[in-house]
Amino acid sequence: MIEPIRDASRRLVRELGFMREGLAGVDLPPSAVHALLEIEARDGITAAELSDLLDLEKSSVSRMLRRLVDAGAVAEAPAATDGRTKPLSLTAQGQTTVNAIHDFARRQVAGALERLAPASHGTVLEGLRLYADALSAGRGAAGRAPPPAITVEAGYRPGALARCAEMHALYYAREAGFGAAFEAIVASGLAEFSGRLGRSCNGLWLALREGRVVGTVAIDGEDMGPGIAHLRWFIVDDGARGGGAGRKLLSTSVAFCEAQGFDAIHLWTFQGLHAARHLYEAQGFSLAEERQGRQWGTEVLEQRFVRPIAKQA
């Protein structure tokens, strides 16, 4: 995994233009381009704060700012309370330069997104955010806020069913080529299940990050016969994978089944979803059956996993 990510990172640097002179269509080095963008976004930022933000030596930032001030792009003035602190701001000339940078970058991003399926746009955004956050956390900067925690909540909340269907549609379109037929099956199944959610043998759990649903799982205690819990609609959003949401959801649903006295938990998936299979097996599931199926619109090797539940003596 490491080498492919390194390769993709090098390609990203090249395609964004960091290896060429005139980044973002202006005659400035990359550090100066980023400095101007941050000064615009944080009017009144100081040189020391800019140094921390850009992860550059204070002496390098000082020299760069001096050139930008001399060029008429940045203005600095003593703060009212401390003459040694000089808040930075863009001049009219600097704002014109920044507007040109924004125009260039937006065209560049828009052109790339046009060559991607709309369903993958969110994946690109969340992937870049996760990767950037992970790299940033590696700096070890003091006071850096940890990523928002993911919590698990039981029961329905407005929008949860639609969000569950959306996550399934986006993920399986990319991973298996499923289309409208699959999304419709998921949505109709959720709609039917919602009418039975109030019964004690059924349950729904949501993984939440800052109030947004980023994962779901359900236990249907009725549709597979007496004593069988059917684990359904297990999904974690692309941007939340690797953060423990999947483990929390599965362990919570398994604990529910044990408390309810089910004999076993069954789930259906299909071959090739290696990360999900690892989670299932870590929770005690084992492969019990395989068969070819086309019910989702594309032929796949469907798999049934089973986890027996030991009865208390």
Side-chain angles (χ1 to χ4, degrees):
M1 180 62 73
I2 291 176
E3 293 308 318
I5 291 176
R6 289 185 62 214
D7 179 66
S9 297
R10 291 194 298 272
R11 291 176 56 204
L12 188 62
V13 167
R14 292 195 296 267
E15 296 304 325
L16 287 174
F18 284 92
M19 305 299 290
R20 302 189 299 269
E21 294 184 4
L23 176 66
V26 295
D27 188 20
L28 290 170
S31 58
V33 170
H34 282 270
L36 290 175
L37 292 173
E38 297 303 339
I39 292 170
E40 182 202 32
R42 299 168 174 81
D43 190 42
I45 191 173
T46 66
E49 292 168 338
L50 188 61
S51 175
D52 289 340
L53 188 63
L54 298 180
D55 197 24
L56 293 173
E57 293 290 337
K58 288 182 173 58
S59 58
S60 298
V61 171
S62 179
R63 289 192 297 270
M64 175 183 62
L65 288 173
R66 178 48 48 198
R67 289 193 290 270
L68 291 173
V69 170
D70 292 343
V74 171
E76 57 182 3
T81 57
D82 186 350
R84 296 170 300 175
T85 302
K86 298 180 178 180
L88 304 168
S89 60
L90 295 179
T91 64
Q93 177 183 326
Q95 188 63 61
T96 298
T97 300
V98 167
N99 290 342
I101 294 170
H102 285 315
D103 289 342
F104 179 93
R106 285 169 182 144
R107 290 194 302 270
Q108 191 178 40
V109 173
L113 291 178
E114 286 175 358
R115 292 185 282 274
L116 295 172
S120 66
H121 293 182
T123 302
V124 172
L125 173 61
E126 290 298 333
L128 287 172
R129 281 178 174 170
L130 281 173
Y131 189 38
D133 287 346
L135 290 172
S136 180
R139 284 195 204 175
R144 186 172 305 281
I150 294 177
T151 59
V152 172
E153 175 183 287
Y156 169 80
R157 66 160 47 195
L161 302 182
R163 180 77 176 114
C164 178
E166 176 192 34
M167 288 187 291
H168 276 80
L170 294 176
Y171 180 76
Y172 288 100
R174 182 180 73 247
E175 295 297 322
F178 294 169
F182 171 75
E183 185 173 354
I185 291 171
V186 171
S188 62
L190 284 165
E192 187 276 330
F193 178 70
S194 68
R196 301 187 280 110
L197 187 54
R199 300 174 188 172
S200 61
C201 61
N202 301 323
L204 173 69
W205 294 268
L206 312 173
L208 303 172
R209 175 191 280 159
E210 296 184 312
R212 176 173 170 78
V213 177
V214 296
T216 62
V217 70
I219 292 295
D220 189 334
E222 300 176 278
D223 73 328
M224 294 189 79
I228 303 299
H230 185 188
L231 190 146
R232 308 179 72 181
W233 302 301
F234 174 57
I235 189 77
V236 176
D237 193 45
D238 290 332
R241 291 195 183 95
R247 289 190 298 275
K248 290 180 181 179
L249 288 168
L250 280 179
S251 61
T252 300
S253 60
V254 167
F256 169 83
C257 294
E258 291 174 339
Q260 289 289 316
F262 285 105
D263 297 323
I265 311 169
H266 293 217
L267 67 88
W268 281 96
T269 182
F270 59 88
Q271 188 180 57
L273 303 179
H274 304 297
R277 178 168 182 167
H278 176 75
L279 288 174
Y280 299 146
E281 291 177 338
Q283 287 291 335
F285 287 86
S286 58
L287 181 62
E289 178 185 356
E290 290 184 317
R291 67 188 186 196
Q292 295 295 132
R294 294 191 59 87
Q295 63 173 316
W296 311 116
T298 300
E299 185 168 333
V300 294
L301 182 62
E302 297 180 343
Q303 298 175 319
R304 181 168 59 91
F305 284 78
V306 175
R307 183 194 188 279
I309 296 177
K311 298 296 183 179
Q312 297 294 326

